[in-house]
Amino acid sequence: MRILLIEDDPDLAEVVALGLRNESYAVDVAGTYAGAEELLRTTAYDVACFDLGLPDGDGLDLVRRLARDPDLHRPRRSLVLTARDAVADRVAGLDAGADDYLVKPFHFAELVARLRALGRRGDGHGSTLRVGELALDLAARRAWRAGRELDLTAREYSLLRYFMHHPGDVLSAEDLLEHVWDANANPFTASVRVILSRLRRKLGDPPLIATITSAGYRLEAPP
């Protein structure tokens, strides 16, 4: 899951982004309305987290624009993170198009739980994701193949999770970079191939991730 964190407090943004990266999320950070707008013009995010009190505009206006501005990539889900705790503010945020609303100060564990819930919403999955003999515990960040637990790094886990959310789909290296890595990734490196090779080795035989020549990769888990 690739997340856009819009937060004008640099210290809070740094702490939250670091925590989310440790939870295997790819995170880009914007501290202003203009900065968030620029990222939303170029990148498709799975979830965007909006602070409302930005120094150069109202984050709620940006939430509203996502529904009508074709130049902006609308995230699959949006979460408002703000100190505005009045009922009217919550109603305004949800009516503007946000999928969830979390008031500051918040516990980091609750933020992560809400992000997991947003990621599951509409995909028919509960807390455990299953594809063939693969199983992923989204809360505990543990993975198994045919009952054998897999010892995965955070990036390997994120990559497997993305494949399992798109079983049977051909995913290009660009797709994987966009959703599993963040803006700090160098698109000209071999990082996708390296992590993918390690993941394949840990998954074992028979191979589950096929290379589709000139197209990308596909998870072909047996039933």
Side-chain angles (χ1 to χ4, degrees), residues 172-223:
S172 68
E174 290 76 16
D175 291 329
L176 299 177
L177 267 175
E178 183 157 320
H179 291 277
V180 181
W181 280 259
D182 56 29
N184 296 318
N186 184 343
F188 300 105
T189 69
S191 57
V192 170
R193 292 197 304 274
V194 170
I195 301 298
L196 183 58
S197 176
R198 292 195 333 220
L199 176 60
R200 281 169 157 164
R201 186 168 61 252
K202 291 183 179 182
L203 288 174
D205 293 320
L208 298 181
I209 300 175
T211 298
I212 310 302
T213 304
S214 302
Y217 311 94
R218 180 171 60 209
L219 177 63
E220 297 183 326

Side-chain angles (χ1 to χ4, degrees), residues 43-171:
T43 307
Y45 290 96
D46 298 292
V47 179
C49 300
F50 292 87
D51 184 15
L52 300 186
L54 299 171
D56 56 344
D58 188 341
L60 199 57
D61 176 62
L62 189 55
V63 174
R64 294 190 185 99
R65 279 187 58 200
L66 291 172
R68 65 176 189 269
D69 191 336
D71 292 329
L72 300 180
H73 292 284
R74 185 173 184 176
R76 292 179 61 241
R77 302 293 176 202
S78 57
L79 168 65
V80 171
L81 295 175
T82 180
R84 301 179 190 175
D85 60 354
V87 172
D89 292 320
R90 296 172 189 253
V91 171
L94 295 171
D95 283 348
D99 296 289
D100 201 355
Y101 196 105
L102 184 58
V103 175
K104 302 175 185 175
F106 52 83
H107 289 285
F108 182 74
E110 182 178 3
L111 171 61
V112 173
R114 286 174 182 256
L115 289 172
R116 285 198 302 266
L118 289 173
R120 295 194 303 267
R121 188 175 297 179
D123 65 6
H125 300 299
S127 61
T128 301
L129 182 61
R130 298 184 185 277
V131 176
E133 59 188 22
L134 291 172
L136 214 63
D137 185 326
L138 298 170
R141 291 190 299 150
R142 298 170 67 188
W144 297 263
R145 178 178 182 179
R148 173 179 61 88
E149 186 163 3
L150 305 172
D151 182 17
L152 303 180
T153 66
R155 188 73 70 192
E156 291 161 0
Y157 172 87
S158 298
L159 187 58
L160 179 60
R161 179 175 60 193
Y162 190 68
F163 271 112
M164 290 178 66
H165 274 292
H166 303 274
D169 293 348
V170 177
L171 304 175

Side-chain angles (χ1 to χ4, degrees), residues 14-37:
E14 182 179 2
V15 169
V16 172
L18 178 60
L20 291 177
R21 288 172 183 141
N22 288 338
E23 292 288 329
S24 305
Y25 294 107
V27 185
D28 295 337
V29 179
T32 63
Y33 187 109
E37 184 180 31

